Amino acid sequence: MINSKNWLTPEWPVPGNVFAVTTLRTGGFSEGGYQSLNPALHVGDNPEVVMRNRARISELLDLPAEPVWLQQVHGNTVIDAAQADGLSAADASFTNQAGVVCAVLTADCLPVLLCSRDGLSVAAVHAGWRGLLDGVITNTVNVLHGKDLLVWLGPAIGSAAFEVGAEVRSAFLAKSIRFGAAFTESHDGKWLADIYALARIDLASVGINQVYGGGFCTVTDADRFYSFRRDKQTGRMASLIWRA
């Protein structure tokens, strides 16, 4: 796969038969707040233009099949992408089959890509704070049967921009005191949340420590990333993973 200004290629030690990218907002056909490579149909963009963007992504990446898009609902459901029938309400998908493209859409939430070290299983997860709290990442790890997994954390809202209410911190602390390390006090009872730290703590709780990526901020990097918190009406990045 050739690196491009239109997508990020994860830096992680996966086998050569595994391919993964996160698309950026450049290189497509959308206009206005959706400019330009928006592959999301649910955000108010022109559907015909979105389909052109999807075709452009498939062409640029030489995808083996149309990505298995999800109806993301900030939940913890994980589906088998090879068994998907239509637009499934889920926030993660996995596959053990070659040529099946798992996909999630994000614009501040955390995209999490997983790969078994033997290259036979891959998965993509959409993890906002609600999904994280409800266990969408750990559910995906469990579906992969606790295999020796590699994980990449894609572009999401940075900790300096992710202000949440005290109730969010309290909910995580009620789940595990370990999540306290991911919060920094802000002002007026608000807290700054590090979504990358939340994911790493969650993964460590199920024995997954080979975690790469992180360190992006979708809010502050407007040239490359869509951000719902920054712009409200905006497109989405697609994080895709598949195996040969």
Side-chain angles (χ1 to χ4, degrees):
M1 183 183 298
I2 301 173
N3 285 317
S4 165
K5 64 181 180 179
N6 299 321
W7 66 80
L8 296 174
T9 301
E11 294 184 6
W12 57 337
V14 296
N17 70 310
V18 173
F19 305 92
V21 301
T22 293
T23 63
L24 303 178
R25 64 179 304 171
T26 52
F29 304 100
S30 295
E31 298 179 346
Y34 305 109
Q35 188 177 7
S36 64
L37 192 61
N38 168 47
L41 283 167
H42 68 287
V43 296
D45 197 1
N46 183 320
E48 293 182 2
V49 176
V50 172
M51 296 309 292
R52 288 182 68 196
N53 288 335
R54 289 187 176 187
R56 176 75 168 150
I57 290 168
S58 292
E59 176 188 6
L60 286 171
L61 298 174
D62 193 22
L63 295 180
E66 175 71 11
V68 179
W69 305 106
L70 305 174
Q71 181 186 346
Q72 298 169 187
V73 294
H74 295 275
N76 61 9
T77 299
V78 186
I79 67 162
D80 183 339
Q83 305 282 326
D85 183 14
L87 194 64
S88 300
D91 285 271
S93 67
F94 75 96
T95 187
N96 301 314
Q97 296 186 24
V100 176
V101 183
C102 297
V104 290
L105 297 170
T106 59
D108 290 335
C109 290
L110 175 63
V112 183
L113 302 181
L114 302 93
C115 171
S116 60
R117 196 174 290 275
D118 61 12
L120 297 181
S121 302
V122 297
V125 181
H126 162 250
W129 73 260
R130 290 178 180 84
L132 264 167
L133 182 64
D134 289 342
V136 67
I137 294 178
T138 52
N139 282 2
T140 307
V141 170
N142 291 336
V143 164
L144 296 176
H145 306 298
K147 291 182 178 179
D148 190 7
L149 298 175
L150 303 168
V151 178
W152 184 74
L153 306 179
I157 187 170
S159 58
F162 192 19
E163 190 174 72
V164 299
E167 73 282 357
V168 175
R169 176 176 176 268
S170 296
F172 275 98
L173 291 178
K175 184 176 181 180
S176 172
I177 194 70
R178 288 173 294 187
F179 287 115
F183 293 90
T184 303
E185 192 167 5
S186 181
H187 62 91
D188 298 330
K190 301 288 188 179
W191 294 80
L192 294 174
D194 185 339
I195 199 166
Y196 295 114
L198 290 170
R200 288 176 183 272
I201 292 166
D202 199 36
L203 286 160
S205 74
V206 289
I208 307 298
N209 297 296
Q210 297 297 306
V211 184
Y212 302 85
F216 305 98
C217 182
T218 49
V219 176
T220 57
D221 193 345
D223 289 339
R224 293 196 297 171
F225 303 130
Y226 296 110
S227 168
F228 179 80
R229 182 165 289 217
R230 182 187 65 231
D231 299 324
K232 302 307 179 191
Q233 187 178 66
T234 190
R236 298 291 187 270
M237 287 84 70
S239 291
L240 313 168
I241 187 166
W242 68 100
R243 48 154 293 208

